[in-house]
Each structure stands twice: as C-alpha cells, then as structure tokens.
Amino acid sequence: MIEVINLRKSFNGQEILHGVNLKVNDGQSLALIGGSGRGKSVLLKHIIGLLKPDSGKILIDNEDISKLRGRKLKRLKERFGMVFQGGALFDSLTVFENIAFPLREKTRMRASQIRKTVSEELAEVGLSGAENKYPAEISGGMKKRVALARCLVMSPEIILFDEPTTGLDPLIGKAIHTMIRSCQKSYKFTSIMVTHEIPDIFSMVDRVAMLYNGVIHAEGTPEEIQTSKDPVIHQFIHGELEGPISIN
Amino acid sequence: MIQILTLLRIIGAFVIFVIRETGRMGIFLAEAIFWIPFPPYLFGRVVRQINFIGVKTTLVILLTGTFTGMVLALQIYFTLSKFGAESRLGPIVALSLIKELGPVICALMVTGRAGSALAAEIGIMRITEQIDALDTMALNPYKYLIIPNLIAGVISLPLLNFIFVFVGVWGGYSVGVGIMGLSSGTYFGNIRDFVTGADILEGLYKSLSFGMLITWISCYKGYFTGYGAEGVSKSTTQAVVLSSVTILIWNYFLTSILVA
C-alpha cells in the first residue's frame, strides 16, 4: 500500500505541495488529475524516491521511502517501475537494448532468455519488428510503448505513469490506455497515473484524485468525481474557463 | 553608501556561490569515489570511455604534440644560439614538454574535445530524464555515468601525455637536426644526461590529476545541468571554461609542491 502523509515540498522558496495526503491500496489504479505545473509529477517523483520531501512521509507498505538509504532503498525501488512523460529511453541504445537493459543489469538471465523475454514484451506492446531501431527513429507513441515494455519486463509491483499519452493523437492515446489497462489486469500491479485525458481516464481506473492548490482536493471513484458538485472539480473536468480555478 | 552596500552584497553573494559550488563539487567527487569499490564493476564502460576520451583524442594530440615540439625547438634554438649553447636544445625541448607543455596542452585538448562532449551527453541525459530512469531501475547513476569517466580520464591522460611528449621530442628533432643542422647524437645524448626520473614523475602526476579534474568538472556540470537546451549549452561552456582555468591554476600549485 502507498500512503502519502502531509507531504510538503518547496522549490526556490515557492511551496508546490502544501501537505498532500493520499492512499493507494495494493492492486488499485489511481488517476492523478490537476492543472499543469501544479506538482503532480513532483508528487510522483517523491513516491518513487527521486525527490526528498521537506516534511511529511511517503510510506510503501509502512516503510518511509524518504528515510531509507543504501540497500533498503534499492530493494524498495526494485518493486517500482516508472514510465516517464517523454519515455526517458536511453538514446544511445536500440529498442531491444533499452528493454534488455534492466534484465542485463539486474538479473542473471542468459542472453537467449533475455532475447525471448524482450521479444515477448515487444509483442505485448505491439512493437514486434522494431528491435533494431533507435529511439530517434521511432514515433512518440512507439517510444511510450517501448518505455512501458522496459518497465513491464521487470514485473514491478507498482508502476507510476507520468502523462503516458501526452502529445499523442487520440487513437494512439486510447490504444496506450487500453494497453496499460490490459497489462494491469494481467500483471496485477498497483498504478498511479498522472494524466489529462479526461473523460477517457474515468473508464480506465479504480479511483481518481485531484491535486489543487498543493493538496489533494478530492478523491473518489470515477463516478463520484464525475458527478461531484464541487465547483473546482466541475470546472476542471468540464474544461470551463469560468470558475474558482484561475488560469495563469 | 547604497552603492557600496550593493557592491558588498554582490561580492558576498559571489563568495557564497563559489563556496557552495565548491562544496557541492567536493561532495559529488567524494560520493563517486565512495562507490568505486562496490559492485557492479563496469569494465566494459571504462574501456568504452577510454576509447572516447583517449583513443579518439590521439590524432589531435599527435598534431599538437608534433607542432609544439617543432615551434619550441625553433624558438629555443635561436635563443640558445645567442649564447653559443645550441647543444642544450634537446634537453630543453624534452624538459619543457615532459614537465609543463605535455601535461597542460594535453589536458586542454582533452577538455575541448572530450570534456565538453561529456558535459553535453550527461546534461542531455539529465534533461530527458534518462538519469532518473536509471535511478528508478534501482541502478546507481554514479556507477554507470560518472565512475567510468573518472577512471577513463585518469588512465587516458598519462597515455596521451606520453604520446604528446614522444612526438614533440621528434618534432623538435626534425627542426633542430633536420633544419638547423644539429647532430643527432648531441640532441638525444643531452636529453639522456639532463632528464631524470623525477622529471618524468612530475609530468605523470600532473597528467593523472588533470585527468581527474577534467572528468570530475565535466561530469558534475552535466549531472547538475539547468533546464532545456540552454541549460545544457551553459553547462558545456562552464565545463570547458572551469576545467581549463582549473588546470592552469592547479598546474601552478602542483608545480610549487613538486619543485619544493
């Protein structure tokens, strides 16, 4: 279980997170929505231990990731996977080498076994035949799918998605969402997805949380969020210009 | 009065910046060195970086070494001829190259060719979240990106320095013996008499420390780059400028220590 307790974080004197509280149960999928540049990715990076909080706790099965060091932190991070906004593929490696990278570095698998596993993962994300291409030679949608395959290859228990469909056309975006959903069903991982894909996301996840003014403003099932009378939620999910959310 | 206070504030802010930056760089290097003894031992990456920093700089070193030796011989020959001491051409060229010019020019060449590229490469990896990706795979970025470069720098610089001195001495030979008519025996015989093991060690110590300095500064600037293309561009420039200046300053202090 992931539990964020009163998380605060400032950058250059400006507080981005003002005391975030969030809970995600095992096997659950949560969509994190909210305005651009309001700290959703910052929250995600705290959960995986890339950033340290100014105060507050991030508990992963009751272990505070921000307090862990050395082997304990490494062991905890091994339970995670993350799909970054731009894919974060190693640009000097081919698609095959990118997916094989964690297997080569973190397991004792034989080369033949790695080849087989990578081929299976590529087939899973619909990219068979793209093994020898470099990230610069493939489209944005393909990059995100390679990033997903690189993440899935280690079978993590928790996967964090940072806007996995941003910048893609609606069809590819929907295809990736469907792929993530089907992977979650087969791999049964816990997931937190930062996304702006509204209303598509409501049919994809178990719960939705909205980050507003540096705190979790509302959390609930997709139905609860969609039918909420809260003016902030209403304005945001309907994309209205008039309302309590200022656009600047 | 206000102008004086403003000036003091600017100077104070600069001093604090320098101290903080030096501290961060020190911690960065200490952390990298701390991780060296721990597995995984990425020998393949070290070899690849020796190829990048060392082997790919060889042509530049061959050219600059040869012409440095040649121009040195030309200048020194005419100076020595005023005192009738042309026979000392060989040892002066050799000592200048071994103790000073070899390590310093090699280091500046490596900074320009490899240091800038290192800062840019690591900087781009930072802004495209590739370093974060390594971290989220529970892999230590220092082991993959920093340590192989530090080791490769320390190995490559002395080897490049050896090549530089070797071709520089032969460049001096081509001018002194081939053009000025000095005898071959005089040129090389005097080198044997005047160049000692301590001189060679001085050059070695310098090139070892320069190898560490260049890769340390370049990796640091890339690792903590700013935002976007502008951030990487600034980091690359800073890596080259700071490495070059530090090499020249450190060269003076190291020479003072070694001479003493």
Side-chain angles (χ1 to χ4, degrees):
Chain A
M1 186 173 71
I2 302 166
E3 204 173 353
V4 180
I5 303 166
N6 204 21
L7 174 66
R8 288 177 176 271
K9 182 70 178 179
S10 302
F11 292 105
N12 301 321
Q14 193 189 352
E15 195 169 64
I16 304 293
L17 303 177
H18 304 303
V20 171
N21 290 289
L22 185 69
K23 200 188 264 188
V24 186
N25 292 322
D26 289 343
Q28 209 170 53
S29 60
L30 177 121
L32 189 60
I33 59 172
S36 296
R38 301 304 164 107
K40 299 185 299 298
S41 298
V42 171
L43 175 57
L44 226 53
K45 286 185 178 179
H46 276 91
I47 293 171
I48 203 167
L50 284 173
L51 290 174
K52 299 276 177 212
D54 295 341
S55 66
K57 291 178 180 175
I58 301 121
L59 303 177
I60 313 295
D61 291 337
N62 296 319
E63 272 193 297
D64 190 348
I65 193 165
S66 63
K67 298 276 189 294
L68 294 180
R69 297 277 181 282
R71 278 191 190 158
K72 279 189 173 174
L73 177 63
K74 195 179 164 200
R75 234 173 271 144
L76 192 58
K77 277 189 178 177
E78 279 167 354
R79 296 172 56 194
F80 277 92
M82 182 157 177
V83 178
F84 289 85
Q85 206 169 5
L89 300 177
F90 302 122
D91 45 22
S92 57
L93 304 181
T94 62
V95 164
F96 176 88
E97 288 165 338
N98 260 286
I99 301 170
F101 187 82
L103 294 173
R104 284 175 176 161
E105 300 299 329
K106 299 200 69 71
T107 68
R108 290 174 187 273
M109 268 191 192
R110 291 178 176 193
S112 58
Q113 209 178 341
I114 289 176
R115 254 196 314 277
K116 188 169 165 278
T117 311
V118 172
S119 297
E120 283 168 7
E121 285 303 336
L122 275 172
E124 179 91 24
V125 296
L127 279 177
S128 297
E131 288 90 341
N132 297 321
K133 287 188 166 32
Y134 282 90
E137 298 172 322
I138 59 177
S139 69
M142 287 166 86
K143 277 182 198 164
K144 305 231 176 181
R145 281 187 278 166
V146 175
L148 178 63
R150 186 177 68 179
C151 187
L152 290 174
V153 84
M154 295 300 286
S155 307
E157 294 168 42
I158 303 160
I159 302 186
L160 308 180
F161 297 92
D162 192 1
E163 301 190 30
T165 54
T166 298
L168 304 177
D169 70 57
L171 284 179
I172 299 281
K174 199 154 199 164
I176 288 181
H177 273 151
T178 311
M179 200 173 286
I180 291 171
R181 192 62 180 159
S182 84
C183 288
Q184 187 168 26
K185 276 183 184 155
S186 43
Y187 290 86
K188 301 196 187 323
F189 52 79
T190 307
S191 73
I192 301 179
M193 186 190 296
V194 168
T195 182
H196 294 294
E197 301 298 327
I198 295 169
D200 288 3
I201 197 65
F202 293 129
S203 59
M204 306 271 313
V205 292
D206 303 321
R207 293 188 75 76
V208 178
M210 181 171 173
L211 188 71
Y212 176 65
N213 277 346
V215 294
I216 297 295
H217 181 78
E219 199 207 331
T221 62
E223 292 73 29
E224 285 167 352
I225 295 293
Q226 278 176 294
T227 54
S228 171
K229 296 277 187 278
D230 184 299
V232 171
I233 299 171
H234 189 271
Q235 184 192 353
F236 188 76
I237 64 173
H238 291 93
E240 290 167 359
L241 292 176
E242 298 296 321
I245 305 173
S246 62
I247 298 150
N248 49 31
Chain B
M1 186 63 184
I2 293 169
Q3 284 167 328
I4 294 169
L5 284 175
T6 310
L7 185 68
L8 283 174
R9 197 168 56 232
I10 292 168
I11 294 169
F14 178 73
V15 171
I16 290 169
F17 169 78
V18 170
I19 292 170
R20 194 173 50 210
E21 194 71 354
T22 310
R24 285 179 68 187
M25 284 182 69
I27 292 167
F28 176 78
L29 181 64
E31 195 168 347
I33 292 171
F34 171 81
W35 287 112
I36 290 176
F38 297 98
Y41 307 110
L42 304 164
F43 297 114
R45 282 180 185 273
V46 173
V47 172
R48 204 178 311 157
Q49 290 314 102
I50 289 174
N51 177 49
F52 177 68
I53 296 169
V55 178
K56 289 187 176 172
T57 315
T58 310
L59 184 63
V60 180
I61 294 300
L62 285 171
L63 279 170
T64 51
T66 306
F67 282 96
T68 303
M70 287 171 76
V71 78
L72 205 58
L74 205 58
Q75 291 279 15
I76 292 169
Y77 183 85
F78 284 112
T79 308
L80 290 175
S81 64
K82 289 178 187 168
F83 309 101
E86 298 93 330
S87 61
R88 296 287 183 260
L89 180 69
I92 295 179
V93 168
L95 283 171
S96 306
L97 289 169
I98 291 168
K99 287 161 74 99
E100 286 300 329
L101 294 174
V104 172
I105 296 179
C106 259
L108 294 176
M109 290 299 131
V110 171
T111 301
R113 206 207 64 79
S116 54
L118 278 184
E121 188 183 344
I122 296 174
I124 288 169
M125 288 188 77
R126 166 64 73 197
I127 63 167
T128 54
E129 297 180 312
Q130 293 176 51
I131 296 178
D132 286 344
L134 271 178
D135 206 328
T136 58
M137 289 175 200
L139 297 169
N140 184 346
Y142 281 77
K143 295 290 299 184
Y144 288 81
L145 301 175
I146 312 302
I147 294 168
N149 283 313
L150 289 175
I151 296 173
V154 170
I155 293 173
S156 301
L157 258 287
L159 295 173
L160 289 172
N161 184 35
F162 171 78
I163 296 169
F164 188 96
V165 172
F166 183 78
V167 296
V169 168
W170 277 100
Y173 175 91
S174 69
V175 170
V177 178
I179 300 173
M180 299 303 170
L182 212 64
S183 82
S184 176
T186 308
Y187 186 85
F188 283 118
N190 276 327
I191 291 178
R192 269 196 302 275
D193 295 339
F194 282 90
V195 177
T196 64
D199 298 323
I200 294 167
L201 278 179
E202 189 178 328
L204 179 68
Y205 293 146
K206 283 185 177 182
S207 52
L208 282 170
S209 61
F210 292 159
M212 174 67 91
L213 272 177
I214 297 164
T215 46
W216 170 30
I217 293 169
S218 304
C219 289
Y220 172 81
K221 287 291 172 188
Y223 201 79
F224 295 105
T225 192
Y227 299 107
E230 195 187 340
V232 176
S233 150
K234 270 186 190 168
S235 296
T236 310
T237 309
Q238 285 172 358
V240 172
V241 173
L242 188 60
S243 297
S244 305
V245 172
T246 312
I247 286 162
L248 297 174
I249 295 171
W250 175 241
N251 182 46
Y252 171 76
F253 287 108
L254 189 60
T255 306
S256 309
I257 295 164
L258 293 170
V259 166

